[in-house]
Amino acid sequence: MSDNNNLSSAESHPRGQQQYSQPSWPEHVPIPETFLCPLSKKFMNHPVIDREGNSYEREAIFKYLRAREQLGTALVSPVTKNPLQESDLVDNRALQSIIDSALKNA
């Protein structure tokens, strides 16, 4: 799979439905904290970033926003509590590149 396929924008898949196939972090290597999603506390296979610079695992943040929408509660950042829409999220290409390099060297 090419890097362009892995780095499709959030706008291309606004509901976060696309599945991404990337290797998991090796179990024998400690995961750097910057590679962990603040929502799921799990390794980010496909990081997205909001307008404030907060990164999330794509699936986790879309699930969080959909749940809030279904409950009729305000769509806000789980980190800052400022308004957050799905359209505010884009692929975090810089972090993805760092993660990809780390995976190759792990």
Side-chain angles (χ1 to χ4, degrees):
M1 185 178 284
S2 74
D3 286 341
N4 289 340
N5 289 338
N6 282 340
L7 298 176
S8 300
S9 73
E11 292 176 351
S12 298
H13 306 287
R15 300 304 287 180
Q17 297 299 317
Q18 174 115 357
Q19 294 296 318
Y20 297 90
S21 59
Q22 275 190 300
S24 296
W25 191 259
E27 290 183 24
H28 67 280
V29 179
I31 302 173
E33 192 166 326
T34 55
F35 295 178
L36 297 176
C37 174
L39 282 173
S40 67
K41 307 297 185 214
K42 295 181 181 176
F43 173 69
M44 290 188 278
N45 280 312
H46 191 97
V48 294
I49 190 168
D50 66 20
R51 293 179 182 194
E52 297 179 296
N54 300 300
S55 294
Y56 310 92
E57 170 60 35
R58 171 186 284 280
E59 184 178 332
I61 189 65
F62 281 114
K63 183 178 178 180
Y64 165 85
L65 290 172
R66 284 192 300 268
R68 291 188 68 87
E69 186 175 45
Q70 289 175 351
L71 292 171
T73 56
L75 300 181
V76 297
S77 164
V79 174
T80 65
K81 306 302 183 212
N82 290 325
L84 179 64
Q85 301 290 320
E86 288 182 5
S87 60
D88 295 330
L89 298 163
V90 295
D91 291 328
N92 188 338
R93 294 179 183 188
L95 181 55
Q96 186 70 64
S97 179
I98 293 167
I99 289 171
D100 290 346
S101 292
L103 281 169
K104 286 179 187 175
N105 296 320

